[in-house]
Amino acid sequence: MEAPLIAVTGRRRAAAGLHSGPPALDALEIDAYFTGYGANVVAAGGLPLHVPGDVDPAAVVERTDALVLTGGNDVDPARYGAVPDARTSSLEPGRDAFEIALLAAARERGRPVLAICRGIQLVNVAWGGTLHLHLEEHAHTRRHEVTLTPGSVLAALHGPSATVNSLHHQGVDRVADGLTVTARAPDGLVEGLEADGLVCVQWHPEQLEDVPQPEFRWLVDAARAG
């Protein structure tokens, strides 16, 4: 059986400081994502496809078998009726719009989706939920426990609890209709959301030691089954 083709979103950055070529390249931009995403897809039996933000989302979903929404900067607070404050990190409204369109196309075509960190926040906002603008106690806490909901995909992958990493300063506040909370931190913060064919986690499985992480195995298996 051929390896499922997994679309992986990334981020666009100024090239300055990210290359070893002549200074003239500083004015260019680079599309990138952290290597752990692709490495986990490959180790789980999939074939990762980096998706730049200026392609047709429907065409991407048509030709791929699953989608990974990766981490990154804050979702634009205007999308959920809030106002940025001094702690809001660089916004990417174009990326927001592109990934929301990718998500909608994937859901319409029944493609499985794994949403990570910014991804869980984007999904919740896209479906009508809101976010906490800043969570000082969660910002960059390297390890903590989450409790997983019995009967959920995450519980099937990990058991009743898991030790995860935390690299975020925002999080899910009001959960959107149609999404089920399937993981919580000890203070009650939502760390996992699910719907049919959709798994969202607030942590970064692509940065944990074991490769592939169970979430990526789930995604590739679901892509094969679809």
Side-chain angles (χ1 to χ4, degrees):
M1 181 181 296
E2 290 187 352
L5 188 59
I6 312 297
V8 182
T9 64
R11 57 183 77 186
R12 186 159 290 180
R13 290 288 181 270
L18 299 176
H19 68 90
S20 57
L25 299 181
D26 288 351
L28 301 180
E29 292 182 317
I30 289 176
D31 282 327
Y33 61 81
F34 290 108
T35 58
Y37 296 109
N40 272 272
V41 168
V42 170
L47 181 63
L49 173 69
H50 171 66
V51 180
D54 39 17
V55 298
D56 178 11
V60 170
V61 171
E62 172 69 25
R63 299 187 183 192
T64 55
D65 303 300
L67 170 66
V68 179
L69 296 175
T70 62
N73 289 339
D74 297 346
V75 177
D76 189 347
R79 287 191 171 271
Y80 52 95
V83 178
D85 66 18
R87 298 163 299 188
T88 303
S89 66
S90 300
L91 301 179
E92 302 172 280
R95 182 182 177 187
D96 293 345
F98 174 68
E99 292 189 342
I100 288 172
L102 271 178
L103 174 65
R107 298 297 292 167
E108 182 179 352
R109 287 199 162 271
R111 304 288 196 258
V113 178
L114 173 61
I116 295 172
C117 195
R118 165 189 156 90
I120 188 176
Q121 298 167 16
L122 185 84
V123 169
N124 190 55
V125 169
W127 286 31
T130 64
L131 303 178
H132 296 286
L133 275 174
H134 187 71
L135 298 164
E136 187 63 39
E137 64 275 18
H138 279 263
H140 308 141
T141 302
R142 291 300 301 179
R143 288 287 192 273
H144 66 89
E145 295 293 312
V146 291
T147 301
L148 307 176
T149 303
S152 66
V153 171
L154 288 173
L157 297 176
H158 292 281
S161 65
T163 300
V164 302
N165 53 0
S166 179
L167 297 171
H168 62 99
H169 83 107
Q170 294 194 319
V172 172
D173 185 7
R174 180 174 58 79
V175 177
D177 292 342
L179 296 172
T180 300
V181 177
T182 56
R184 288 190 185 272
D187 64 0
L189 182 72
V190 173
E191 293 264 352
L193 294 171
E194 294 180 21
D196 185 34
L198 171 66
V199 172
C200 311
V201 295
Q202 184 56 73
W203 62 91
H204 280 270
E206 84 286 354
Q207 296 185 21
L208 295 173
E209 291 79 11
D210 294 335
V211 177
Q213 283 289 305
E215 291 82 5
F216 289 90
R217 291 200 304 268
W218 166 83
L219 183 70
V220 171
D221 289 347
R224 283 200 180 100

